[in-house]
Amino acid sequence: MATRIQHFLLLSSLALWVLSAGPVEVQAGQNLPTVQIINSMPPNSPKVTLRVASGNNIYLGQHHLSVDEIYKFKVEQEKIYYCVVEWQQYFTSWPCFELPRDHNQAFLYWLMKKEGIYRWEKADWVMQSPWITD
């Protein structure tokens, strides 16, 4: 029970923070990327639950991804987009799009593995966010 309350408080705090974030200034005409999040958990793993949100009341919903399934979306505003993922007793969150880090990127790739969340940088997967437990 305490675990569910902690998850609820964490997710609520994250949502309030994201929704209160102001716009980031960018150059006019910037092309915004497509974000791809890949479930690369071990075979026969339970589905992961993914939520994506940004400022201005943007909530892309809750998605249940099977192993090897990909969720993708097009960034539509120059604001931080956050992902929150739950897998079994684990959870984590990370900014899946933020400026200036992702300036001039056509695609952003994220990989969910049993160790945590990885980002594709140049020519390798780099750990960005380990799983958290109670």
Side-chain angles (χ1 to χ4, degrees):
M1 176 93 168
T3 301
R4 294 251 180 233
I5 292 171
Q6 289 170 335
H7 286 165
F8 173 76
L9 292 174
L10 173 71
L11 296 174
S12 298
S13 298
L14 175 65
L16 288 173
W17 183 80
V18 166
L19 295 176
S20 68
V24 175
E25 295 295 324
V26 296
Q27 296 177 353
Q30 175 183 344
N31 291 325
L32 296 172
T34 296
V35 177
Q36 294 191 21
I37 304 165
I38 305 157
N39 181 351
S40 188
M41 295 297 187
N44 301 316
S45 290
K47 291 182 178 184
V48 298
T49 300
L50 169 70
R51 294 176 186 86
V52 181
S54 184
N56 287 349
N57 298 321
I58 294 174
Y59 178 64
L60 300 180
Q62 177 173 301
H63 310 276
H64 302 283
L65 304 180
S66 300
V67 175
D68 296 328
E69 191 171 354
I70 298 171
Y71 174 72
K72 65 181 176 177
F73 66 93
K74 176 76 173 158
V75 173
E76 297 181 6
Q77 293 187 2
E78 296 105 1
K79 293 191 170 228
I80 295 175
Y81 281 68
Y82 267 92
C83 292
V84 177
V85 178
E86 295 177 51
W87 176 59
Q88 298 177 339
Q89 74 271 22
Y90 306 104
F91 62 96
T92 193
S93 64
W94 76 96
C96 55
F97 170 77
E98 67 179 341
L99 295 173
R101 179 192 71 192
D102 300 322
H103 180 70
N104 286 334
Q105 299 292 317
F107 292 94
L108 302 172
Y109 298 100
W110 297 94
L111 190 66
M112 296 182 286
K113 297 185 74 154
K114 66 180 182 177
E115 301 83 14
I117 307 302
Y118 292 79
R119 174 185 166 87
W120 183 253
E121 291 186 11
K122 299 181 182 171
D124 200 9
W125 292 105
V126 178
M127 168 67 86
Q128 295 291 309
S129 182
W131 292 107
I132 302 168
T133 60
D134 304 337

